Amino acid sequence: MDSIVNIDDFGAIGNGVHDDSEAINKAIQSLAKQKGGVLYIPAKTYAISKELYINVPGIYIRGASPYFSVLKILDDFSGRAAVVFEPDSFQLSKGVGVDAGLTIDCNNKMAHGLLGIRLYDQVSLRNVEIKNVHSEYSGFRFAQDKEGYNVIGQSLLLENCYAERATNIAVTPMYYFDRYQEVNLIGCKSFSSVPNSDTPQGDAFYLKDCKGISFTGCSAAFSQNAITLEAQTKNISGISIVGQTNEKIVNYALNTIAIANNTIENVTVLPLRNELSGGAFSLKSCTKATIYAMDMPVSIDSKSSQNIIFSTSPSKVSNLARGNTIFWLANFDVPGFSILDAFTINGFTSDPTFYLSDSTGQMKSRIEQKYSNLRFLIRESDGYKLKFALLKDNLNNASNIQLSYTVNNVVKTERVLLGAPDSGSTGFRQLIIPN
């Protein structure tokens, strides 16, 4: 038996016109009978009118070229997707995927590009391009065969994959995951609307009831939302977004939806690379998230708590809940960083300074190190005024405290001196300030 099966050997023509779906499915059944192997697709365009159906483990599709091995959906196509991985049981879904590259041309027909049903362990898709996706379908769709809290798929790897819409209209997300965990997306790109669209729509990546999903070096372009997390029937947790690039995102870089009492927790977003517009962050029912928003807008609803936000633009963060920590990072206006705008540290100048503020911003004070002394100031109508200071230099018969006081409407600032021994009763000295 040959572990590599060439679809041409089963009658596939590959001229982009002749319907090759029957021949390709015969090649797949040949691999199923020998319990797995590689379905080899030469560098030609193979037209299909039916879905290519893989329901056993151990079958990989391998293209001769990521760009010239093409599956093209015909006008009279009947099926859910060009390629369907649907094991008879999730225990039999291991070891399937696409290796070495493949292009799927959905031809703007009503079908997904690639559909995976309850895939479970050792599933990988590498160098897969799906183009001309219909507005109501996804390029990559990973779903379940039934409802249920404990129904999940897991351990998927998508590497250097690409999906692109046929038009400006988008109803369905381009990458869609329903109840999956332990999924890694590396270098994957999503155009929810056609590239260079003036009116982008749809979600680039959509995760529903998922856990343990990592995005590394991925990109979302010409979409309404880059990444949407929906906690519909269970909590979402463990989402990591690193090295993401966003281009012309209309609404949100990260959009969160939580139904009923479900929550979204432990989400980490490192700084994004944005072109044109990267979107904003919307945190709803989120907890323990760490978001490096930088100059991107952030909104936090009243049900969110224990989140950490790093921002260079305090005016762009709307925090409606207690229990979140907001760090204002240094920028041209504030050369330091701030926590919730209540405590600010400025170490940029030669005089390190701490600023304190109440929640209204009306009461503000400043602690600064100046000339090796520690000075305490409170802001008044005409600026910060010194109230007292701790002095470094030691003088004989003098304290290390300097006080500010008013005499005849004149503000004076003097060091507190020490009186003679027993001047304040036996065993005590008086503290003296000038008249």
Side-chain angles (χ1 to χ4, degrees):
M1 293 186 296
D2 193 349
S3 62
I4 300 178
V5 170
N6 189 326
I7 61 174
D8 284 359
D9 294 338
F10 288 78
I13 303 300
N15 62 7
V17 179
H18 179 268
D19 184 3
D20 291 319
S21 51
E22 183 176 350
I24 299 174
N25 275 318
K26 284 182 179 179
I28 292 171
Q29 291 306 309
S30 172
L31 288 172
K33 290 178 182 179
Q34 65 183 44
K35 300 190 181 302
V38 174
L39 182 73
Y40 179 74
I41 300 180
K44 295 188 288 186
T45 298
Y46 295 87
I48 56 174
S49 64
K50 297 180 178 63
E51 62 186 38
L52 306 183
Y53 187 69
I54 299 174
N55 65 341
V56 294
I59 294 180
Y60 267 86
I61 299 174
R62 179 179 299 167
S65 164
Y67 308 108
F68 299 111
S69 296
V70 180
L71 299 175
K72 182 179 180 180
I73 291 179
L74 289 169
D75 292 342
D76 60 347
F77 182 85
S78 175
R80 296 165 293 175
V83 177
V84 177
F85 293 98
E86 186 176 19
D88 293 333
S89 69
F90 74 92
Q91 292 94 338
L92 298 177
S93 65
K94 294 183 177 181
V96 296
V98 178
D99 185 27
L102 177 69
T103 293
I104 298 175
D105 184 353
C106 290
N107 198 23
N108 199 23
K109 302 308 173 186
M110 299 184 71
H112 305 297
L114 188 148
L115 175 62
I117 304 295
R118 204 179 184 187
L119 300 180
Y120 202 96
D121 284 347
Q122 300 172 356
V123 178
S124 66
L125 303 170
R126 299 172 184 264
N127 299 309
V128 179
E129 176 176 341
I130 302 178
K131 61 185 182 180
N132 295 321
V133 179
H134 190 276
S135 62
E136 298 179 17
Y137 289 81
S138 301
F140 295 88
R141 187 173 186 87
F142 301 94
Q144 305 298 334
D145 56 353
K146 58 184 176 181
E147 298 301 321
Y149 182 88
N150 294 319
V151 177
I152 59 171
Q154 70 175 27
S155 300
L156 274 64
L157 170 65
L158 282 75
E159 183 177 353
N160 199 30
C161 292
Y162 177 101
E164 174 185 306
R165 190 73 65 187
T167 68
N168 291 341
I169 302 172
V171 179
T172 305
M174 187 56 74
Y175 289 72
Y176 179 81
F177 296 85
D178 176 11
R179 287 168 289 166
Y180 273 82
Q181 63 185 22
E182 301 169 17
V183 177
N184 290 282
L185 294 95
I186 303 173
C188 293
K189 189 161 189 172
S190 175
F191 287 87
S192 185
S193 294
V194 68
N196 300 312
S197 169
D198 292 328
T199 56
Q201 298 182 8
D203 295 274
F205 301 93
Y206 199 104
L207 311 180
K208 190 182 84 171
D209 296 343
C210 293
K211 297 182 178 182
I213 312 293
S214 69
F215 295 83
T216 305
C218 295
S219 61
F222 301 96
S223 304
Q224 190 169 13
N225 302 309
I227 298 174
T228 293
L229 309 179
E230 180 187 356
Q232 186 182 91
T233 63
K234 63 176 71 174
N235 296 340
I236 286 179
S237 65
I239 310 299
S240 172
I241 304 169
V242 179
Q244 174 90 3
T245 294
N246 287 348
E247 181 179 0
K248 200 166 185 179
I249 303 301
V250 176
N251 287 343
Y252 298 114
L254 178 67
N255 180 38
T256 58
I257 302 170
I259 308 300
N261 294 321
N262 294 307
T263 61
I264 298 170
E265 59 185 19
N266 296 322
V267 177
T268 301
V269 183
L270 295 188
L272 307 180
R273 171 180 170 265
N274 295 322
E275 294 185 12
L276 300 179
S277 60
F281 293 92
S282 173
L283 304 185
K284 302 184 186 76
S285 296
C286 289
T287 180
K288 305 183 187 74
T290 301
I291 309 293
Y292 284 79
M294 312 315 285
D295 64 345
M296 300 167 68
V298 180
S299 61
I300 307 173
D301 77 349
S302 59
K303 295 182 179 181
S304 298
S305 65
Q306 297 178 286
N307 300 294
I308 302 174
I309 309 297
F310 294 88
S311 175
T312 59
S313 301
S315 63
K316 293 184 178 181
V317 179
S318 172
N319 178 23
L320 300 180
R322 296 183 178 182
N324 296 302
T325 302
I326 316 296
F327 288 94
W328 309 136
L329 304 180
N331 56 36
F332 289 108
D333 297 321
V334 181
F337 78 88
S338 174
I339 303 175
L340 289 172
D341 208 22
F343 176 56
T344 302
I345 300 176
N346 176 10
F348 181 76
T349 66
S350 59
D351 304 321
T353 305
F354 298 86
Y355 294 89
L356 301 172
S357 175
D358 66 2
S359 60
T360 66
Q362 299 300 310
M363 179 64 182
K364 289 191 174 184
S365 58
R366 187 171 87 191
I367 304 172
E368 64 182 19
Q369 182 177 303
K370 193 174 185 68
Y371 308 123
S372 299
N373 301 320
L374 193 61
R375 295 155 46 93
F376 295 81
L377 305 90
I378 292 179
R379 193 179 71 173
E380 299 179 359
S381 59
D382 55 346
Y384 282 94
K385 303 297 182 181
L386 178 68
K387 299 304 178 181
F388 72 95
L390 299 179
L391 307 178
K392 178 183 177 182
D393 295 336
N394 297 317
L395 296 180
N396 193 37
N397 292 321
S399 74
N400 292 87
I401 298 175
Q402 185 182 57
L403 288 180
S404 173
Y405 57 98
T406 302
V407 177
N408 296 326
N409 296 321
V410 177
V411 178
K412 296 185 176 183
T413 304
E414 299 289 346
R415 183 192 285 259
V416 177
L417 304 177
L418 301 182
D422 299 325
S423 57
S425 74
T426 303
F428 296 92
R429 294 174 184 256
Q430 288 182 329
L431 298 180
I432 303 171
I433 56 175
N435 291 327

